[in-house]
Amino acid sequence: MATNEEQIRTLIERWAEAVHHGDLTGVLADHTKDIVMFDVPPPQQGVRGLDSYRETWPPFFQWQAQGASFDIESLEVTAGEDVAFAYALLRCGTERDFTDNPDNRLRLTFGLRKQAGRWVIAHEHHSFPLTDGSTAADPAPDQDHAAAEQDDAAAERDLRQLHQRWFASTAAKDLDGLMAPIADDVVSYEHDQVLQCIGVDAVREVCKAGLDAAGDSSVTWQVPDLKILVNGDLAVAWGLNHVEVSAGSQSVDTWSRGTRVFQRRDGAWSMTHQHLSYPFDPATGYAMTDLRP
């Protein structure tokens, strides 16, 4: 029997093949009714529900029919018993797009859960990077399930506290505090280039640059609509990032989309993957950094 990772890899590859062929039925298969997608175009709050998800694809298929590709180049999968995540880089664009920017890739993050014995996709996040041009007896099954739910609830509380420490470290401009929960082998899709940041040192440079750019201004970061899904030693969190930089009476704030994946290692939660993005305006080619929820 195929492992969970193999089942999920097959599911995602089948989904990408359906996208490539404009097969809407195949694209919708293996998705939850409450799917949440943070897509490249607006809306800022993402696309919520299978009906809304369905409506996003016909315009994409029309564009793709002009000769665009949609091909997976790399795919990594990590699976627990009931919750999993995957991230991928895809070659998505026309030949002219790749002539202008041969290294550009579409970045995807998937959150999955097992439902009625099969894996389904509950969350997708799509983005392009910005460019400069823009001995006791075993417990009974019901007891075991209740204990697992209690453990997951406790883990969710821990992860919410972790986020609060992140927010406090941002306000204090404490770079070490920001880095503390980040795994050494993290892979992060940041708002702007490079295509992907690999390793905690690369993410540290991005965070340091952001704090340095604020200068003497105060900085706050919050995720007001933070959602967290936990199963065992694996967790996924997502929501809209609200960053505000203030100097005296002057204030600048931005909203963007964020998905973060955590693994519990040696008893502590570490962020192993992050995906950040702004919606992209296909008419102008620029990121839409001024949208509000």
Side-chain angles (χ1 to χ4, degrees):
M1 181 177 177
T3 66
N4 285 329
E5 285 82 0
E6 290 169 340
Q7 293 175 45
I8 292 167
R9 179 175 293 275
T10 298
L11 183 157
I12 293 173
E13 290 174 343
R14 184 171 60 234
W15 169 84
E17 187 72 13
V19 173
H20 179 72
H21 290 292
D23 174 9
L24 184 57
T25 299
V27 171
L28 298 178
D30 303 314
H31 283 71
T32 63
K33 291 183 178 179
D34 59 350
I35 175 72
V36 175
M37 177 175 66
F38 293 163
D39 202 3
V40 174
Q44 173 80 4
Q45 295 90 343
V47 174
R48 298 168 185 267
L50 192 61
D51 289 340
S52 296
Y53 180 80
R54 177 188 291 109
E55 293 173 1
T56 67
W57 287 105
F60 180 86
F61 293 154
Q62 292 177 7
W63 169 79
Q64 187 177 237
Q66 301 173 18
S69 59
F70 192 87
D71 302 313
I72 294 176
E73 284 198 344
S74 65
L75 174 61
E76 301 294 333
V77 179
T78 300
E81 288 302 314
D82 298 300
V83 177
F85 76 93
Y87 53 90
L89 294 176
L90 284 80
R91 182 179 169 88
C92 178
T94 63
E95 287 305 315
R96 180 174 179 178
D97 292 331
F98 292 117
T99 299
D100 295 339
N101 191 353
D103 296 326
N104 201 28
R105 296 295 181 270
L106 177 66
R107 309 174 307 179
L108 271 70
T109 299
F110 299 89
L112 304 97
R113 63 175 180 251
K114 189 171 283 188
Q115 186 171 286
R118 70 184 187 94
W119 288 104
V120 287
I121 297 171
H123 176 53
E124 292 178 23
H125 189 155
H126 307 192
S127 79
F128 288 101
L130 297 182
T131 62
D132 290 338
S134 77
T135 63
D138 290 338
D142 57 342
Q143 294 173 325
D144 188 58
H145 180 69
E149 287 186 337
Q150 291 175 357
D151 288 346
D152 289 348
E156 180 178 341
R157 289 194 296 270
D158 290 343
L159 286 163
R160 290 189 179 277
Q161 291 172 2
L162 182 156
H163 279 80
Q164 291 300 322
R165 292 193 297 272
W166 255 340
F167 304 151
S169 294
T170 299
K173 299 182 181 178
D174 177 6
L175 185 59
D176 289 337
L178 287 171
M179 293 300 105
I182 299 180
D184 290 342
D185 57 348
V186 65
V187 176
S188 182
Y189 297 164
E190 297 288 338
H191 288 108
D192 50 5
Q193 27 188 0
V194 294
L195 188 64
Q196 56 183 338
C197 291
I198 300 177
V200 66
D201 290 341
V203 175
R204 184 185 184 92
E205 287 302 311
V206 173
C207 292
K208 181 178 184 301
L211 293 178
D212 289 347
D216 295 331
S217 302
S218 65
V219 182
T220 61
W221 164 40
Q222 296 290 329
V223 184
D225 63 338
L226 180 64
K227 303 294 189 300
I228 299 177
L229 184 63
V230 181
N231 184 268
D233 292 332
L234 185 65
V236 181
W238 65 89
L240 299 179
N241 301 299
H242 184 206
V243 176
E244 186 171 8
V245 180
S246 301
S249 61
Q250 302 297 316
S251 177
V252 177
D253 71 312
T254 60
W255 292 81
S256 66
R257 295 91 61 90
T259 302
R260 296 172 179 91
V261 177
F262 300 85
Q263 288 182 281
R264 185 156 42 191
R265 299 175 175 179
D266 299 324
W269 288 102
S270 295
M271 187 184 79
T272 56
H273 177 56
Q274 175 176 239
H275 189 153
L276 309 173
S277 75
Y278 297 105
F280 171 82
D281 185 351
T284 65
Y286 290 104
M288 303 178 70
T289 61
D290 58 348
L291 297 179
R292 301 292 183 269

